[in-house]
Amino acid sequence: MPMEAYAILDGGGVKGAALVGCLQAAKDHGIKFIGYGGTSAGSIVALLASVGYSPEDIKEIMIEEINFNDFLDGTDKDLERFKKFPKGFLTSFFKNLFLWQNKDLIDKLNEKLGLCDAITLTKFLLEKIKDSPKVQNSNSDLRKKIEKATDINFQDLKKLKCDPLKVVASDLISQKAVIYPQDEGEEALNYSVIKAVRASMCFPFVFTPVRQENGSVLVDGGLSSNLPIFLFQKERSIDHKPVIAFDLCDEEDNIAAQTNKTKEYQLGELLGDMLATVLESSDDLLRQVIDNIYHVRIPLRKDIDTLDFSIDKEKRKQLFDKGHSVTSSFIVTNLFVWKQAKNTVERLQALHAPPRLVQPILKTVVRELEESPRLSNCRSYIMLPTDEGKFAVVYQYGMDDDPDIDWEIEMNNGGAWSEIWNNRKPNLQNIEVLRKNISEYNITKAQVNKIPKDKKTTVVVPIFDWKIITELTDNQYEEFQNSNFQNFQDIIDQYALIGILCIDTSTPTRDILNSQRFGNVYRSIMVKASILSGILR
């Protein structure tokens, strides 16, 4: 079974060939990407992959076919002059003379806010979509329509059954990131893919911004998020697939030596480092709070400039090889267990945590409940959502010899398991009622018969993302510990569910409900669920 994931590709200007090496390595190791997100140069590679080009095809395009200088539409000499601006302005004793000598360039930037209109790049993107495998393999009517089109929108990609594509641009007016397509509505899908990618890779001052009818001025997506790992959060809340984020960065050698050269550290370097700090720190914080993110850092040579549009084929090949080798090493080191997974349960364990980290907590839950005369004859297990829209027992304690150790049930089963997923509150499932009224539940008789006969009640508790604990105020945490969670809904509704913690017991449901221990049972289990959430992220 192939490993499925979403790919996030960051910006890097002409260094995008390294991203192609990353995709090639992922393919070599059996990873199948089911969606592509990108910003800046990453959005171009993401588009090509989305419309069906293989990593081998994209390598040919990025290394052998493209002449990056052509994308400048004849403004390459202006770009070289522009790159000398900070040094020339700050070091010249004759600043007025410097400005006068470059007056034509300054006037152009003042008028158009960029040197190049990206006409050649736009044509390139359109041609590549028309020649793509998805178009060439589509039905004749759709293929003819696309081949005659002067623009391609996200709706067209959907009709072509392309892998989902999302790209990020930055709106200078609202000072916010803009994600395309913005939703699955008809108006959003009718937005131009070409324009979205053109905006995402619009490096400030090099390419003219994309101006919208609503007044927005769109430029490089890297200004708002250079590694947008959040792009497929909605889809991942349903299919629970991981993200592999490919991050191009500079090699870290000689950093200390460079930062010690304070005499050479001038305004140009200060502004650049301030911007880089804002981008890197915000993306780094996101990586810490979004689960199932595999972050692959690709350290590249510092002598390859992001704006070196004259970069030769040999350097591009080196970039590809670097991306390939680093990604291969990362997969072998970090995704070995995931690669070796033979079934759904093993794959979920690989994505969340090894059983050895989870089972001691489940054991503690059982012992505490049994020793404090609350519940009798307990066992505990965690059910996680699967790709097929089911809950599966993924971790367990006390079920080794039970027939339902491999239990899988539909997420819309109608019992406490589905209610907890919809209502996000602890619940009880009366197993005796379940056995007598199977027709009321989306569960088969064979599934119910697997449950040991002595089990009468299942206590079902949600496992939320660990942030529910770490981000609470002192008052909220006290409420969390002492309430029966009836008044806690306003706090927990904003957090994602990871899975469900279940405790089966021989104690009848009515005895639990009629007992003053009811609230204590929930509190005890919820505290353990909060611990498990930190492990299962």
Side-chain angles (χ1 to χ4, degrees), residues 320-361:
F320 174 91
D321 291 342
K322 185 70 171 182
H324 187 279
S325 63
V326 172
T327 300
S328 292
S329 177
F330 180 92
I331 292 173
V332 170
T333 304
N334 298 279
L335 303 183
F336 176 78
V337 177
W338 185 23
K339 283 186 61 185
Q340 299 302 310
K342 297 180 178 64
N343 53 49
T344 298
V345 170
E346 289 184 3
R347 189 166 66 254
L348 288 170
Q349 289 175 348
L351 290 175
H352 289 279
R356 61 181 174 77
L357 297 181
V358 179
Q359 195 171 47
I361 309 299

Coordinates of all heavy atoms in Angstrom, one line a residue, residues 320-361:
F320 N 19.1 19.8 -7.7 CA 18.3 18.6 -7.8 C 18.9 17.5 -6.9 O 18.2 16.8 -6.1 CB 18.1 18.1 -9.2 CG 17.3 16.9 -9.4 CD1 16.0 16.9 -9.6 CD2 18.0 15.6 -9.4 CE1 15.3 15.7 -9.7 CE2 17.3 14.5 -9.5 CZ 15.9 14.5 -9.7
D321 N 20.2 17.2 -7.1 CA 20.8 16.1 -6.4 C 20.8 16.3 -4.9 O 20.6 15.4 -4.1 CB 22.3 16.0 -6.9 CG 22.4 15.5 -8.3 OD1 21.4 14.9 -8.8 OD2 23.4 15.6 -8.9
K322 N 20.9 17.6 -4.5 CA 20.9 17.9 -3.1 C 19.5 17.6 -2.5 O 19.4 17.0 -1.4 CB 21.3 19.4 -2.8 CG 21.4 19.7 -1.4 CD 22.6 19.1 -0.7 CE 22.9 19.6 0.7 NZ 24.0 19.1 1.3
G323 N 18.5 18.1 -3.2 CA 17.1 17.8 -2.7 C 16.8 16.4 -2.6 O 16.2 15.9 -1.7
H324 N 17.3 15.6 -3.6 CA 17.1 14.2 -3.7 C 17.8 13.5 -2.5 O 17.2 12.6 -1.8 CB 17.5 13.6 -5.0 CG 17.2 12.2 -5.2 ND1 17.9 11.1 -4.7 CD2 16.2 11.6 -5.9 CE1 17.4 10.0 -5.0 NE2 16.3 10.2 -5.8
S325 N 19.1 13.8 -2.3 CA 19.8 13.1 -1.3 C 19.4 13.4 0.1 O 19.2 12.5 1.0 CB 21.3 13.4 -1.4 OG 21.6 14.8 -1.2
V326 N 19.1 14.6 0.4 CA 18.6 15.0 1.8 C 17.2 14.4 2.0 O 17.0 13.9 3.1 CB 18.5 16.5 1.9 CG1 17.9 16.9 3.2 CG2 19.9 17.1 1.8
T327 N 16.3 14.4 1.1 CA 15.0 13.8 1.3 C 15.1 12.3 1.4 O 14.4 11.7 2.3 CB 14.1 14.2 0.1 OG1 14.0 15.6 0.0 CG2 12.7 13.6 0.3
S328 N 15.9 11.7 0.6 CA 16.1 10.2 0.8 C 16.6 9.9 2.2 O 16.1 8.9 2.8 CB 17.1 9.7 -0.3 OG 16.6 9.8 -1.6
S329 N 17.6 10.6 2.7 CA 18.1 10.4 4.0 C 17.0 10.6 5.1 O 16.9 9.8 6.0 CB 19.3 11.3 4.2 OG 19.8 11.1 5.6
F330 N 16.2 11.6 4.9 CA 15.2 11.9 5.9 C 14.2 10.8 5.9 O 13.7 10.4 7.0 CB 14.5 13.3 5.5 CG 13.4 13.7 6.4 CD1 13.7 14.5 7.5 CD2 12.1 13.2 6.3 CE1 12.7 14.8 8.4 CE2 11.1 13.5 7.2 CZ 11.4 14.4 8.2
I331 N 13.8 10.3 4.8 CA 12.7 9.3 4.7 C 13.2 8.0 5.4 O 12.5 7.4 6.1 CB 12.3 9.0 3.2 CG1 11.6 10.2 2.7 CG2 11.4 7.8 3.1 CD1 11.2 10.1 1.2
V332 N 14.5 7.6 5.0 CA 15.0 6.4 5.6 C 15.1 6.5 7.1 O 14.9 5.6 7.9 CB 16.4 6.1 5.0 CG1 17.1 5.0 5.8 CG2 16.3 5.8 3.5
T333 N 15.5 7.7 7.6 CA 15.7 7.9 9.1 C 14.4 8.1 9.8 O 14.3 7.5 10.9 CB 16.6 9.1 9.3 OG1 17.9 9.0 8.6 CG2 16.9 9.3 10.8
N334 N 13.5 8.9 9.3 CA 12.3 9.3 10.0 C 11.0 8.6 9.7 O 10.1 8.6 10.4 CB 12.1 10.8 9.9 CG 13.3 11.6 10.4 OD1 13.4 11.9 11.6 ND2 14.2 12.0 9.5
L335 N 11.0 8.0 8.5 CA 9.7 7.4 8.0 C 9.8 5.9 7.8 O 9.0 5.3 7.1 CB 9.3 8.1 6.7 CG 9.1 9.6 6.8 CD1 8.6 10.1 5.4 CD2 8.1 10.0 7.9
F336 N 10.9 5.3 8.4 CA 11.1 3.9 8.2 C 9.8 3.1 8.7 O 9.3 2.2 8.0 CB 12.3 3.4 9.0 CG 12.5 1.9 8.9 CD1 13.1 1.3 7.7 CD2 12.2 1.1 9.9 CE1 13.3 0.0 7.7 CE2 12.4 -0.3 9.9 CZ 12.9 -0.8 8.7
V337 N 9.3 3.4 9.9 CA 8.2 2.6 10.4 C 7.0 2.8 9.5 O 6.2 1.9 9.3 CB 7.9 3.1 11.9 CG1 6.7 2.4 12.4 CG2 9.1 2.8 12.8
W338 N 6.8 4.1 9.1 CA 5.6 4.4 8.2 C 5.7 3.5 6.9 O 4.7 3.0 6.5 CB 5.6 5.9 7.9 CG 4.4 6.3 7.2 CD1 3.2 5.7 7.1 CD2 4.4 7.5 6.4 NE1 2.4 6.5 6.3 CE2 3.1 7.6 5.8 CE3 5.3 8.5 6.1 CZ2 2.7 8.6 5.0 CZ3 4.8 9.6 5.3 CH2 3.6 9.6 4.8
K339 N 6.9 3.5 6.4 CA 7.1 2.7 5.1 C 6.9 1.2 5.3 O 6.4 0.6 4.4 CB 8.6 2.9 4.6 CG 8.8 4.2 3.9 CD 10.2 4.2 3.4 CE 10.4 3.1 2.4 NZ 11.8 3.0 1.9
Q340 N 7.2 0.7 6.5 CA 7.1 -0.7 6.7 C 5.7 -1.1 7.2 O 5.4 -2.3 7.3 CB 8.1 -1.1 7.8 CG 9.5 -0.9 7.5 CD 9.9 -1.6 6.2 OE1 9.7 -2.8 6.0 NE2 10.6 -0.9 5.3
A341 N 4.8 -0.2 7.4 CA 3.4 -0.5 7.8 C 2.7 -1.4 6.8 O 2.7 -1.1 5.6 CB 2.6 0.8 8.1
K342 N 2.1 -2.5 7.4 CA 1.4 -3.4 6.5 C -0.1 -3.3 6.5 O -0.7 -3.9 5.6 CB 1.8 -4.9 6.9 CG 3.3 -5.2 6.8 CD 3.6 -6.6 7.3 CE 5.0 -7.0 7.2 NZ 5.9 -6.1 8.0
N343 N -0.6 -2.6 7.4 CA -2.1 -2.4 7.5 C -2.5 -1.1 8.1 O -1.6 -0.3 8.4 CB -2.7 -3.6 8.3 CG -2.1 -3.7 9.7 OD1 -1.9 -2.7 10.4 ND2 -1.7 -4.9 10.0
T344 N -3.8 -0.9 8.2 CA -4.3 0.4 8.7 C -3.8 0.8 10.1 O -3.3 1.9 10.4 CB -5.8 0.5 8.6 OG1 -6.2 0.3 7.3 CG2 -6.3 1.8 9.2
V345 N -3.8 -0.2 11.0 CA -3.4 0.0 12.4 C -2.0 0.4 12.5 O -1.6 1.3 13.1 CB -3.7 -1.2 13.2 CG1 -3.1 -1.1 14.6 CG2 -5.3 -1.4 13.4
E346 N -1.1 -0.4 11.8 CA 0.3 -0.1 11.8 C 0.6 1.3 11.2 O 1.5 2.0 11.7 CB 1.1 -1.2 11.1 CG 1.1 -2.5 11.8 CD 2.0 -3.5 11.1 OE1 2.6 -3.2 10.0 OE2 2.0 -4.7 11.5
R347 N -0.1 1.6 10.2 CA 0.1 3.0 9.5 C -0.3 4.1 10.5 O 0.4 5.1 10.6 CB -0.7 3.0 8.2 CG -0.3 4.3 7.4 CD -0.9 4.2 6.0 NE -2.3 4.2 5.9 CZ -3.1 3.1 5.7 NH1 -2.5 1.9 5.5 NH2 -4.4 3.2 5.7
L348 N -1.4 3.9 11.2 CA -1.8 4.9 12.2 C -0.9 5.0 13.3 O -0.6 6.1 13.8 CB -3.2 4.6 12.6 CG -4.4 4.9 11.6 CD1 -5.7 4.3 12.1 CD2 -4.5 6.3 11.3
Q349 N -0.4 3.9 13.8 CA 0.6 3.9 14.8 C 1.9 4.6 14.4 O 2.5 5.4 15.2 CB 1.0 2.5 15.3 CG -0.2 1.8 16.0 CD 0.1 0.3 16.3 OE1 1.1 -0.2 15.8 NE2 -0.7 -0.3 17.2
A350 N 2.3 4.4 13.1 CA 3.5 5.1 12.6 C 3.3 6.6 12.5 O 4.2 7.3 12.7 CB 3.8 4.5 11.2
L351 N 2.1 7.0 12.3 CA 1.8 8.4 12.1 C 1.7 9.1 13.5 O 1.9 10.3 13.6 CB 0.5 8.7 11.3 CG 0.6 8.3 9.8 CD1 -0.8 8.5 9.2 CD2 1.6 9.2 9.1
H352 N 1.3 8.4 14.5 CA 1.0 9.0 15.8 C 2.0 8.7 16.9 O 2.7 9.6 17.3 CB -0.4 8.6 16.3 CG -1.5 9.2 15.5 ND1 -2.0 10.5 15.7 CD2 -2.3 8.7 14.4 CE1 -3.0 10.8 14.8 NE2 -3.2 9.7 14.1
A353 N 2.2 7.5 17.2 CA 3.1 7.1 18.3 C 3.3 5.6 18.3 O 2.3 4.9 18.0 CB 2.6 7.6 19.6
P354 N 4.4 5.1 18.7 CA 4.6 3.6 18.9 C 3.8 3.2 20.1 O 3.6 3.9 21.1 CB 6.1 3.5 19.2 CG 6.5 4.8 19.7 CD 5.7 5.8 19.0
P355 N 3.2 1.9 20.1 CA 2.4 1.4 21.2 C 3.1 1.5 22.5 O 2.4 1.6 23.6 CB 2.1 0.0 20.8 CG 2.2 0.0 19.3 CD 3.3 1.0 19.0
R356 N 4.4 1.3 22.6 CA 5.1 1.3 23.9 C 5.0 2.6 24.6 O 5.2 2.6 25.9 CB 6.6 1.0 23.6 CG 7.3 2.0 22.7 CD 8.8 1.7 22.5 NE 9.4 2.5 21.5 CZ 9.9 3.8 21.8 NH1 9.7 4.2 23.0 NH2 10.4 4.5 20.9
L357 N 4.7 3.7 23.9 CA 4.5 5.0 24.6 C 3.1 5.2 25.1 O 2.8 5.9 26.1 CB 4.9 6.2 23.7 CG 6.3 6.3 23.2 CD1 6.5 7.5 22.3 CD2 7.3 6.3 24.3
V358 N 2.1 4.5 24.5 CA 0.7 4.7 24.8 C 0.2 3.7 25.8 O -0.6 4.0 26.7 CB -0.1 4.6 23.5 CG1 -1.6 4.8 23.8 CG2 0.4 5.6 22.5
Q359 N 0.7 2.4 25.7 CA 0.1 1.4 26.5 C 0.2 1.6 28.0 O -0.7 1.3 28.8 CB 0.7 0.0 26.1 CG 0.0 -1.2 26.6 CD 0.5 -2.5 26.1 OE1 1.7 -2.7 26.1 NE2 -0.4 -3.3 25.6
P360 N 1.4 2.2 28.5 CA 1.4 2.4 29.9 C 0.3 3.4 30.5 O -0.1 3.2 31.6 CB 2.8 3.1 30.1 CG 3.6 2.5 29.0 CD 2.6 2.4 27.8
I361 N -0.1 4.3 29.6 CA -1.1 5.3 30.1 C -2.4 4.5 30.1 O -3.2 4.7 31.1 CB -1.2 6.4 29.1 CG1 0.1 7.1 28.9 CG2 -2.2 7.5 29.6 CD1 0.7 7.7 30.1

